[in-house]
Amino acid sequence: MLIAQLVQLYVFVIFARAILSFFPIRYDSPLAPVVAFLHRITEPALAPIRRMLPPMGGLDLSPLILIIGLQVLASIFV
């Protein structure tokens, strides 16, 4: 099903952004455009979740919560 495949692709993009966030990427790095693109397409979904979560000492759980929510959503459509 197309919706489930799109959800899985978006989960992969969120996961890639989360992994890349552990590495310092300079603005002149070849990865900078990739990181900017990932940020641009995931931030609209992550920002509302981040605003609802209480501060956790620098730990951002919004990607995990979004991935779980998307998996639940995909299981409903399948």
Side-chain angles (χ1 to χ4, degrees):
M1 179 158 269
L2 180 63
I3 294 175
Q5 290 174 342
L6 290 174
V7 167
Q8 290 302 325
L9 178 63
Y10 199 62
V11 166
F12 175 74
V13 168
I14 294 166
F15 186 72
R17 177 183 171 180
I19 295 299
L20 286 174
S21 72
F22 286 103
F23 302 100
I25 307 289
R26 294 173 18 149
Y27 70 92
D28 59 347
S29 167
L31 280 179
V34 173
V35 171
F37 174 74
L38 293 176
H39 188 273
R40 222 177 14 257
I41 64 173
T42 58
E43 192 59 25
L46 291 171
I49 297 169
R50 200 175 292 121
R51 282 192 300 267
M52 292 187 314
L53 291 175
M56 296 185 203
L59 184 63
D60 184 13
L61 294 179
S62 59
L64 177 64
I65 292 171
L66 182 57
I67 288 172
I68 291 170
L70 287 172
Q71 292 297 329
V72 168
L73 186 67
S75 69
I76 290 171
F77 283 111
V78 171

